[in-house]
Amino acid sequence: MRRTTLLVAAAIAVTALTGTPAHADSPYGQGLDHCTPAESGPLVCHFDVAPGTYDVEVTLGGDTAGATSVTGETRRALLPETSTGAGERIRRSFTVDVREPEGEPTGPAGSPGLDLAFGGTAPLVAGVRVTPAPAAPRIFLVGDSTVCDQPGEPYTGWGQRLPQYLKRGVAVANHADSGESTVSYLENPALFPTVQPLIRPGDPVLIQLAHNDKQTDAETYRANLTTLVEGVRERGGRPVLVTPIVRRWFNADGTLNNGTALLVNGLGVDHPAEIRRLAAGLGTPLIDLTALTKARVEELGPEASKALYLTAEKRDNTHTSVRGATEYAALVLTELRAQRIVPERLIR
């Protein structure tokens, strides 16, 4: 009786916020009665589901004009801000990877189940439907702090912003972890030994590891990446090698043509060059994110490019801001589309 009373109270609160009668319209009664408006901030919904993949359908809109975005779990962008006119209702859907830990593999466990937060400049939510999707393919991400689901602002990994560009039918499984090199990613039981058994035939696995291979020699670096590629192939997955994002480290002439910016390590190992050669040798797709991010940073120049990184906030020219991570995720998406690594029908 007490649980029923609490759910009714939550439903009444949501009705007041959205102007729409609260209802539960999923197969398991998971709807707006699982949502509560935060005292300050977005409407938050929690669903007691086991780890796995889930399709989420949201109905947006209300009596007034709205603009609503959706994030979930550890600050993942799941739906970009979507506008609705006064009296309009629209449905949008996406697929979410629910895992434990919910963010970085070696980070805090987070909360069990699925958590969604509705934000935007004028959020209006009329319904939420969560349905298991156990057969949904996943795009796995193997990487470091520039890729991972960063737990706290202002830090943001590009992998954290990638899901918003994808429609229902494919989930992003971001297993990137701060501080990892090719050496540690293979050795730590929470990392590749955990990821590899999860890969299913056809799943793309994007591998971007370089920033922390500061003392890894060229032979070992190539061998480690080869082991990762072969490990993905053993499971029937599709390995994709990704060169690292640049550091924002300008020369006097406004270019990034230096070892710091272009990830040449202390032993003289040119990581992007090694990855390019290895991709050609192993016959794997390559996303040259170094070249793409270099072009973007140089296009903006020394001053405007600060907004892509945490230069102003943290004096950090390696890690990206929300804006930088979003732009870099869009660059990755363009390559996933152009190389047909992800079907066009699954791209928003």
Side-chain angles (χ1 to χ4, degrees):
M1 179 65 71
R2 183 174 182 272
R3 174 173 172 78
T4 301
T5 302
L6 289 173
L7 289 177
V8 170
I12 292 171
V14 171
T15 301
L17 179 71
T18 64
T20 303
H23 61 285
D25 60 356
S26 86
Y28 304 101
Q30 295 166 344
L32 287 181
D33 52 358
H34 281 240
C35 306
T36 55
E39 292 183 5
S40 61
L43 177 73
V44 176
C45 306
H46 174 76
F47 303 93
D48 292 323
V49 297
T53 46
Y54 294 85
D55 288 337
V56 178
E57 181 182 86
V58 296
T59 303
L60 307 178
D63 296 336
T64 59
T68 310
S69 61
V70 185
T71 59
E73 300 294 85
T74 304
R75 302 178 56 233
R76 297 181 216 162
L78 300 173
L79 186 72
E81 187 166 282
T82 302
S83 297
T84 50
E88 182 183 18
R89 301 288 192 281
I90 63 173
R91 291 182 179 178
R92 294 291 183 268
S93 56
F94 46 85
T95 302
V96 183
D97 173 61
V98 177
R99 60 184 182 271
E100 296 176 1
E102 68 178 27
E104 296 180 85
T106 65
S111 59
L114 171 63
D115 293 291
L116 302 174
F118 293 85
T121 55
L124 289 174
V125 188
V128 183
R129 179 184 176 92
V130 176
T131 308
R138 286 171 287 185
I139 301 171
F140 286 85
L141 304 183
V142 168
D144 53 34
S145 58
T146 65
V147 184
C148 74
D149 286 349
Q150 288 279 1
E153 296 178 351
Y155 292 91
T156 310
W158 65 254
Q160 206 163 13
R161 305 297 291 176
L162 185 62
Q164 66 184 314
Y165 295 119
L166 302 170
K167 295 179 182 178
R168 180 174 62 185
V170 61
V172 174
N174 190 350
H175 290 265
D177 198 68
S178 293
E180 306 302 343
S181 65
T182 58
V183 177
S184 63
Y185 205 92
L186 286 167
E187 291 179 348
N188 191 324
L191 299 173
F192 196 64
T194 294
V195 175
Q196 188 185 24
L198 301 175
I199 300 168
R200 293 184 296 206
D203 285 340
V205 182
L206 278 56
I207 303 167
Q208 186 215 282
L209 287 166
H211 277 85
N212 300 300
D213 280 279
K214 297 173 183 176
Q215 295 299 318
T216 308
D217 63 80
E219 183 178 358
T220 301
Y221 187 65
R222 289 192 297 271
N224 289 342
L225 287 177
T226 300
T227 298
L228 289 165
V229 167
E230 291 176 346
V232 172
R233 286 175 170 167
E234 286 175 10
R235 298 290 301 173
R238 294 185 292 158
V240 179
L241 288 173
V242 183
T243 61
I245 68 169
V246 294
R247 294 190 181 98
R248 186 192 157 278
W249 196 266
F250 281 93
N251 298 322
D253 63 0
T255 69
L256 300 180
N257 297 321
N258 61 77
T260 299
L262 300 181
L263 282 295
V264 178
N265 78 4
L267 302 179
V269 179
D270 185 330
H271 291 106
E274 293 291 347
I275 295 168
R276 293 177 190 120
R277 284 193 289 267
L278 190 63
L282 296 176
T284 67
L286 171 73
I287 295 178
D288 197 343
L289 198 53
T290 305
L292 293 169
T293 55
K294 177 178 184 290
R296 179 56 176 153
V297 172
E298 288 181 340
E299 176 188 28
L300 290 174
E303 189 59 36
S305 64
K306 291 178 181 178
L308 300 180
Y309 291 82
L310 299 177
T311 308
E313 301 92 331
K314 300 289 183 178
R315 301 181 67 182
D316 185 336
N317 292 298
T318 297
H319 296 96
T320 48
S321 62
V322 171
R323 175 183 162 181
T326 303
E327 288 200 20
Y328 291 176
L331 294 175
V332 171
L333 182 81
T334 297
E335 290 299 304
L336 294 176
R337 170 185 275 135
Q339 300 188 45
R340 299 184 179 180
I341 296 167
V342 175
E344 185 70 30
R345 61 183 174 80
L346 296 177
I347 296 174
R348 197 175 300 282

